Amino acid sequence: MSWETLLDEDVRAFMDDHEGEDVASLALKKPPNQNWAYPTILDQIKVRQKAALKTPKLRDTKGFVFPSSFLYEQASSEACASYKALITKDIKGVSFVDMTAGCGVDSFALAEIFSQGVLVEKNTKNADLLAHNVQIMGQNLE
């Protein structure tokens, strides 16, 4: 299942309805739709639960899709990313390059200071997801 299917209204409704539930318990239940890639949906619920504390702004952004829990674990928190952006505010320039964009948390914070940014992500699947999220965030990033 590609990340695009996580945008399906029924899948989103399921994730919203079960956002506070134990993912291990949900995994023992029959999926509501046999055509869904249930492990991917459960992983998204798991990441969204962690994001409530780590990246609440991203979690609350409608249409934002998180990467796998493995990639998300490597991401900065919003507080840490904001601090990194704060200490770079005296750097003169209009653009930045994030060579290890991952899920984009640092890039989204830097985009508040710089006029534009270029994000590099070597994994094609993750890069496609990041491009979607950049569009959702409405920032001048490519």
Side-chain angles (χ1 to χ4, degrees):
M1 177 164 126
S2 68
W3 63 266
E4 289 96 340
T5 59
L6 292 170
L7 296 173
D8 178 87
E9 282 186 37
D10 292 334
V11 172
R12 297 298 283 189
F14 177 82
M15 291 188 302
D16 289 344
D17 291 346
H18 299 282
E19 68 182 13
E21 293 184 34
D22 179 56
V23 175
S25 296
L26 278 174
L28 297 174
K29 297 178 181 178
K30 183 179 177 182
N33 184 324
Q34 293 300 321
N35 295 324
W36 289 359
Y38 203 46
T40 303
I41 294 168
L42 295 178
D43 190 58
Q44 188 71 189
I45 293 170
K46 178 181 172 182
V47 173
R48 292 179 59 75
Q49 289 171 347
K50 291 179 182 179
L53 293 174
K54 187 174 181 177
T55 54
K57 181 180 175 184
L58 298 182
R59 183 185 183 275
D60 295 340
T61 300
K62 185 173 173 58
F64 192 92
V65 177
F66 285 95
S68 69
S69 57
F70 174 76
L71 183 61
Y72 184 73
E73 288 294 330
Q74 300 171 40
S76 298
S77 67
E78 285 177 9
C80 186
S82 293
Y83 177 73
K84 291 176 193 177
L86 179 68
I87 63 174
T88 63
K89 71 178 181 175
D90 293 329
I91 296 174
K92 303 297 181 219
V94 294
S95 62
F96 70 92
V97 176
D98 185 344
M99 297 297 292
T100 56
C103 68
V105 179
D106 291 326
S107 298
F108 297 137
L110 288 169
E112 300 293 326
I113 294 171
F114 292 90
S115 300
Q116 60 186 2
V118 175
L119 285 58
V120 178
E121 174 55 48
K122 70 178 186 173
N123 180 295
T124 306
K125 180 181 174 185
N126 294 339
D128 290 343
L129 175 57
L130 184 57
H132 162 78
N133 287 334
V134 163
Q135 185 177 17
I136 292 296
M137 296 301 289
Q139 295 174 316
N140 190 21
L141 301 171
E142 51 181 270

